[in-house]
Amino acid sequence: MQSDDARYLKRKYKGGSLDVHPTEKALVVQYEVEATILGEMGDPMLGERKECQKIIRLKSLNSNTDIASLARKVVEECRLISPSRLPEVEQLLFYLQNRKKSAEKKEKKQIKPRDLTPFEGMELDEEANINSIDDYIELLYEDIPEKIRGATLILHLARNPDNLEELLQNETALGALARVLREDWKQSVDLATTIIYVFFCFSSFSQFHGLITHYKIGVLCMSIIEHELKRYDLWQDELLKKKKADILSNLKKEYEKALKKYHGLLTKQEQLLRVALYLLLNLSEDTRTELKMRNKNIVHLLVKTLDRDSEELLVLVVSFLKKLSIFLENKNDMAEIDTVEKLVKLVPCEHEDLLNVTLRLLLNLSFDTGLRSKMVQADLLPKLTSLLGDEAQRQIAMCILYHISMDDRFKSMFAYTDCIPQVMKMLFDCGEERIDAELISFCINLAANKRNAQIMCEGNGLKMLMKRALKLKDPLMMKMIRNISQHDGPSKNLFIDYVGDLAAQIGLKEEEEFVIECLGTLSNLTIPDLDWELVLKEYNLVPYLKDHLKPGSAEDDLILEVVIMIGTVSMDDSCAVMLAKSGIIPALIELLNAQQEDDEFVCQIVYVFYQMVFHQATRDVIIKETQAPAYLIDLMHDKNAEIRKVCDNTLDIIAEYDVEWGKKIQSEKFRWHNSQWLEMVENRQMDEAEPFMYGDDGEPFLQNGDILERPDLFYSSDGIIPVDGAISPEFFTDFQNGDLLGPHGFPSSIPLGLMIHRKNDCNTNTHF
């Protein structure tokens, strides 16, 4: 309406409820607006009611604020609040003053780009009025300055959410804005920024996204951003040329003048980029729209924008990239360009929001092994370590460090930073409280490296870890200790003082997970000075070990650790005899029968037999009183190479000491070798056969008698052990230490789940 008709419109405001804002220091006033159109004589003709709300933000409110004075000021300045409600306002302000900050902290974790604020060029010397919208549309058909003024007036209206519904109904206004943007955006950055800002106001509400799509504003914004980034590159090239020219001519005026102009252009361009990118970020709420952006190379545009210095723009760009990074295709796009290198440059920075959102994006990318490698190459490791002291960023930095520590290539690098002393201090500072999962998981990974483990044990490190783990029965802390115990050297010898404490946990009815880690730690202690016989007797462990060999007596993980423990103590002659007399060997054979399809169980049980055949007493029990050699012969041709190796070496020792079994083993090796050879011969085409392979009578050139005269043709141990079998159990010490490969290239352990499960095609009931 024009000002002449203003007397025909009557508005009435009615105050409603009053409450506090759920997250901000603000009051929320609900009110009702009743608009009535009056006739010539002042009679009401048409009326409409609308419910609205007003937020009164109280930035100055703190613990020292005078609540009574602030309440009076709020009532005086807000006409929607009746003076009679002053006590209610005081009560709400008092609640806000004493409200806990937990809500604020939660809100802070959800980093979002700050709301767009008015920028240079938006100032007006008049107040925009929704009733004058037709006049503003007329300005859009004039020259550029008038177009900017008209768009700015409409923008002031659009910044009030109450006006958006009315603007939505005005197709002429929106169509004119879209047309001007499409036709004139190259002529004026201010004009383009202002019009995009209008559509950005609509993009803040999901129900208006269809409107923006209808006018194809998103596609236009992509083109504008791409064009502006190219202009930025040209500006930098020109600036560099002028700088070189001024250096050659010893003149600085031209360069300084160009630099000043460049900064002015840069400020306006960054305003345009920020509002355009924010609009696209809002539209990407729909994954289908986001896919269209991806097809138009949005990731490359965003990564290119990371070269800017504007922190507000960077917060927006990194937030956008973080949102995109949850999809594999977008992550792959980021991996193809130098995204990580540019992000690492932002760590650390003084802008807290920018640092936080950058770390969150790096965390998303760190799930990719290739990108983790790039992070390490870009020297991110020491930067993240330095952030462990920042409480606000510690958890995210820890998660990224955990991902890096998963890769064996990078574990050793932590030893050259102050990371390990910091995380050890964090562990001990927890006292009896529960340790964060990220922290203890990180420590478990670090302990898998020998040098890191040695640093952890420095001073009273191991003592403190053992004390905490045993007191709290913490299985994760004990898993960390177990990883430390697997490394040879000074750190392993420190465990002699704690053998009794660990053994004492096994007989008790502790949680199974904790007992598993204690058993695993003891199994790693292949220390020559350790008297295992004394330990077994002192803590009465033999009955426990035997009882837990029965299939189904416990979870498979615990039974497996018992088998590994038996393999470790069997290195001692007296322990092996003690175990043999207790009837453990038949129990192992029964377990082998039950778990014949699990490679890990089979390999560890065979290793126990290997250890026991070195001792005369146990060797006689295995050879003469059990069918263990028959099982070993069946497993000699297992699909798993590691099982074959252990079986071959064990059978070689048995054959050395027992003539009868030696013949059976020799015969089985020949049978297997000859069956493979015969199968090969049968499958060859006769016309391709080499003549020297057959004799004159057509029989195979090699006969059984010839084979048996050639012991060098038998399966050998590939040079691992001498022919006479004279080798000590220490050769396979590392088999029990948890490493995949021992120092001689022999598998020292097969992690659970690593081996391929197979169906045993051997006859375990073979009779000779």
Side-chain angles (χ1 to χ4, degrees):
M1 278 185 191
Q2 302 300 323
S3 58
D4 296 339
D5 302 323
R7 66 179 178 274
Y8 297 117
L9 180 64
K10 182 180 178 182
R11 285 182 182 167
K12 185 178 179 181
Y13 297 90
K14 183 180 179 181
S17 63
L18 186 63
D19 204 349
V20 296
H21 194 282
T23 57
E24 298 182 21
K25 289 182 179 179
L27 296 176
V28 180
V29 184
Q30 306 288 347
Y31 65 97
E32 189 178 86
V33 179
E34 183 179 346
T36 308
I37 298 177
L38 304 177
E40 290 285 344
M41 304 301 294
D43 299 325
M45 296 180 63
L46 184 63
E48 184 181 356
R49 291 186 179 184
K50 187 177 182 181
E51 293 184 355
C52 307
Q53 74 172 22
K54 180 179 179 63
I55 298 176
I56 305 172
R57 289 181 171 81
L58 307 163
K59 296 182 179 179
S60 61
L61 180 63
N62 56 49
S63 57
N64 300 320
T65 301
D66 184 348
I67 297 297
S69 300
L70 181 59
R72 285 195 298 272
K73 186 177 179 182
V74 169
V75 173
E76 289 171 4
E77 295 187 2
C78 183
R79 296 181 181 180
L80 298 171
I81 303 176
S82 170
S84 62
R85 304 183 72 174
L86 181 62
E88 184 181 353
V89 175
E90 287 187 14
Q91 186 178 5
L92 293 173
L93 292 177
F94 180 77
Y95 171 78
L96 281 173
Q97 188 181 43
N98 294 280
R99 183 166 64 179
K100 293 183 178 180
K101 297 181 179 180
S102 58
E104 293 179 11
K105 289 183 179 178
K106 288 180 182 177
E107 184 188 23
K108 192 173 183 182
K109 289 182 179 179
Q110 298 175 353
I111 298 299
K112 293 182 179 179
R114 296 175 182 173
D115 291 333
L116 287 172
T117 53
F119 47 83
E120 186 180 351
M122 279 185 59
E123 301 87 358
L124 283 174
D125 54 3
E126 62 180 295
E127 185 176 349
N129 190 328
I130 191 67
N131 298 318
S132 303
I133 186 67
D134 293 336
D135 294 339
Y136 305 156
I137 296 172
E138 289 295 328
L139 292 172
L140 296 176
Y141 293 90
E142 304 295 333
D143 293 332
I144 295 297
E146 284 74 21
K147 288 179 179 178
I148 294 175
R149 183 167 172 269
T152 305
L153 285 163
I154 296 174
L155 173 58
H156 276 256
L157 295 174
R159 281 175 59 80
N160 183 353
D162 294 337
N163 295 325
L164 291 178
E165 286 284 359
E166 194 164 342
L167 286 172
L168 181 65
Q169 304 302 322
N170 197 325
E171 294 184 9
T172 306
L174 296 176
L177 286 168
R179 177 188 57 79
V180 172
L181 178 62
R182 191 163 46 250
E183 294 176 357
D184 299 330
W185 66 267
K186 288 185 180 180
Q187 297 184 41
S188 171
V189 173
D190 289 337
L191 179 62
T193 304
T194 306
I195 296 177
I196 294 174
Y197 205 149
V198 174
F199 286 102
F200 162 76
C201 294
F202 284 97
S203 74
S204 300
F205 302 91
S206 300
Q207 62 265 37
F208 299 138
H209 286 184
L211 163 78
I212 300 170
T213 304
H214 173 72
Y215 289 107
K216 299 182 179 179
I217 301 301
V219 177
L220 191 52
C221 283
M222 293 279 291
S223 301
I224 292 172
I225 292 169
E226 187 174 4
H227 175 78
E228 291 300 325
L229 292 176
K230 290 178 180 177
R231 288 181 65 192
Y232 174 75
D233 292 337
L234 291 174
W235 291 346
Q236 287 198 315
D237 291 341
E238 290 177 8
L239 199 63
L240 185 60
K241 289 177 183 177
K242 289 193 175 184
K243 185 176 182 180
K244 290 180 179 179
D246 283 358
I247 291 173
L248 293 173
S249 59
N250 292 324
L251 295 174
K252 291 185 178 179
K253 289 184 179 180
E254 289 296 324
Y255 173 69
E256 290 176 356
K257 185 179 178 181
L259 186 61
K260 187 176 181 181
K261 181 181 178 182
Y262 166 76
H263 284 305
L265 293 171
L266 198 61
T267 300
K268 289 193 173 187
Q269 188 189 65
E270 287 179 346
Q271 290 171 353
L272 173 58
L273 290 174
R274 189 165 176 238
V275 71
L277 287 170
Y278 212 152
L279 182 144
L280 292 174
L281 176 58
N282 287 345
L283 293 181
S284 68
E285 177 183 295
D286 184 348
T287 53
R288 292 170 298 179
T289 305
E290 182 180 304
L291 181 59
K292 293 178 182 178
M293 294 181 192
R294 189 250 170 185
N295 293 336
K296 289 187 174 293
N297 228 8
I298 185 66
V299 172
H300 287 70
L301 295 179
L302 289 169
V303 172
K304 195 171 183 181
T305 314
L306 288 174
D307 294 326
R308 302 304 183 98
D309 296 323
S310 170
E311 292 177 333
E312 295 298 329
L313 177 60
L314 287 172
V315 169
L316 175 60
V317 171
V318 178
S319 298
F320 205 156
L321 285 169
K322 182 174 78 71
K323 182 183 183 303
L324 295 171
S325 66
I326 64 175
F327 291 100
L328 180 65
E329 297 84 359
N330 297 329
K331 184 268 296 179
N332 291 339
D333 286 346
M334 295 179 203
E336 291 174 0
I337 47 183
D338 52 350
T339 309
V340 167
E341 290 79 0
K342 290 184 178 182
L343 290 172
V344 170
K345 292 178 182 178
L346 301 177
V347 180
C349 65
E350 295 181 0
H351 195 287
E352 188 173 342
D353 287 351
L354 177 57
L355 176 58
N356 191 278
V357 75
T358 301
L359 290 174
R360 290 178 183 277
L361 173 55
L362 286 169
L363 176 59
N364 285 0
L365 298 179
S366 67
F367 284 89
D368 183 279
T369 53
L371 291 175
R372 283 204 300 269
S373 180
K374 287 186 177 181
M375 291 177 195
V376 175
Q377 292 171 9
D379 209 24
L380 182 63
L381 198 58
K383 293 183 176 184
L384 291 173
T385 300
S386 66
L387 290 174
L388 292 177
D390 184 349
E391 189 173 349
Q393 316 298 345
R394 178 182 298 160
Q395 186 176 14
I396 307 173
M398 182 80 70
C399 290
I400 303 172
L401 288 170
Y402 166 74
H403 281 172
I404 294 174
S405 71
M406 290 167 59
D407 197 319
D408 290 336
R409 295 175 298 167
F410 307 134
K411 283 186 174 71
S412 60
M413 295 184 179
F414 289 91
Y416 301 98
T417 68
D418 63 343
C419 180
I420 297 175
Q422 283 194 67
V423 295
M424 291 293 285
K425 184 177 184 301
M426 290 180 203
L427 282 179
F428 300 143
D429 286 345
C430 290
E432 295 187 6
E433 296 178 5
R434 182 181 178 86
I435 303 175
D436 289 339
E438 295 85 0
L439 175 58
I440 189 62
S441 302
F442 180 41
C443 291
I444 289 170
N445 285 355
L446 290 178
N449 176 266
K450 185 175 182 178
R451 178 57 186 146
N452 293 342
Q454 290 173 346
I455 296 174
M456 290 174 175
C457 293
E458 288 178 357
N460 291 324
L462 181 60
K463 180 179 179 181
M464 297 289 286
L465 290 173
M466 288 293 304
K467 182 178 179 181
R468 191 185 194 287
L470 294 172
K471 182 178 181 181
L472 303 179
K473 311 299 182 185
D474 188 340
L476 292 178
M477 181 73 80
M478 187 55 69
K479 185 181 288 288
M480 176 185 172
I481 294 170
R482 176 181 178 177
N483 278 358
I484 295 174
S485 69
Q486 71 182 346
H487 305 293
D488 292 328
S491 58
K492 180 171 286 192
N493 293 328
L494 296 174
F495 280 87
I496 292 180
D497 297 335
Y498 307 105
V499 171
D501 296 322
L502 292 168
Q505 308 303 314
I506 295 172
L508 301 175
K509 294 185 178 180
E510 300 292 349
E511 287 187 17
E512 193 170 274
E513 289 183 14
F514 184 70
V515 174
I516 286 172
E517 301 306 329
C518 291
L519 274 170
T521 305
L522 285 171
S523 300
N524 286 335
L525 303 184
T526 51
I527 305 172
D529 297 335
L530 185 56
D531 189 344
W532 278 116
E533 183 184 13
L534 181 62
V535 173
L536 294 180
K537 289 180 178 178
E538 181 74 20
Y539 296 96
N540 195 29
L541 293 183
V542 174
Y544 177 90
L545 296 176
K546 183 181 177 182
D547 291 343
H548 285 77
L549 283 178
K550 298 175 183 177
S553 61
E555 293 293 331
D556 284 354
D557 288 351
L558 179 59
I559 298 175
L560 180 61
E561 292 301 333
V562 168
V563 175
I564 297 173
M565 177 73 176
I566 293 171
T568 297
V569 300
S570 295
M571 295 169 61
D572 184 280
D573 185 75
S574 53
C575 285
V577 173
M578 188 190 309
L579 292 172
K581 289 181 178 178
S582 70
I584 270 182
I585 296 175
L588 285 170
I589 293 176
E590 182 184 354
L591 181 62
L592 181 62
N593 245 336
Q595 298 286 354
Q596 58 183 301
E597 293 188 8
D598 190 318
D599 285 358
E600 177 71 4
F601 267 101
V602 172
C603 194
Q604 296 293 354
I605 292 171
V606 172
Y607 175 74
V608 174
F609 293 153
Y610 171 79
Q611 288 288 358
M612 288 188 168
V613 295
F614 277 100
H615 313 297
Q616 180 64 45
T618 51
R619 182 167 56 242
D620 290 343
V621 173
I622 288 175
I623 294 174
K624 297 177 181 178
E625 300 179 17
T626 72
Q627 285 294 315
Y631 280 91
L632 292 174
I633 289 174
D634 280 348
L635 293 170
M636 186 169 59
H637 312 304
D638 193 89
K639 294 177 181 178
N640 189 301
E642 316 308 338
I643 294 175
R644 291 200 304 270
K645 285 184 181 180
V646 187
C647 284
D648 282 345
N649 288 284
T650 308
L651 289 170
D652 284 344
I653 298 171
I654 292 174
E656 182 75 19
Y657 289 97
D658 189 278
V659 177
E660 185 179 349
W661 275 111
K663 290 179 180 179
K664 293 176 182 178
I665 293 167
Q666 186 183 49
S667 174
E668 174 60 22
K669 286 186 176 183
F670 162 74
R671 186 195 65 77
W672 177 258
H673 176 81
N674 210 30
S675 66
Q676 287 183 315
W677 183 82
L678 288 172
E679 183 180 354
M680 178 190 71
V681 171
E682 290 172 2
N683 291 335
R684 287 180 66 94
Q685 295 294 333
M686 294 302 294
D687 55 347
E688 295 179 359
E690 299 178 30
F692 59 83
M693 294 182 61
Y694 293 85
D696 295 335
D697 55 357
E699 292 296 322
F701 192 80
L702 293 175
Q703 299 295 324
N704 289 3
D706 302 322
I707 285 286
L708 295 176
E709 296 298 323
R710 298 285 306 279
D712 57 307
L713 294 179
F714 292 165
Y715 273 17
S716 70
S717 302
D718 299 323
I720 293 178
I721 63 171
V723 178
D724 59 1
I727 183 170
S728 67
E730 285 76 9
F731 176 81
F732 291 102
T733 292
D734 292 297
F735 184 72
Q736 295 289 68
N737 291 349
D739 296 325
L740 188 56
L741 290 177
H744 305 282
F746 188 83
S748 51
S749 174
I750 306 165
L752 205 60
L754 178 63
M755 306 306 295
I756 300 174
H757 285 269
R758 51 158 175 72
K759 289 188 177 180
N760 195 342
D761 53 355
C762 303
N763 177 14
T764 53
N765 297 315
T766 303
H767 297 283
F768 297 96

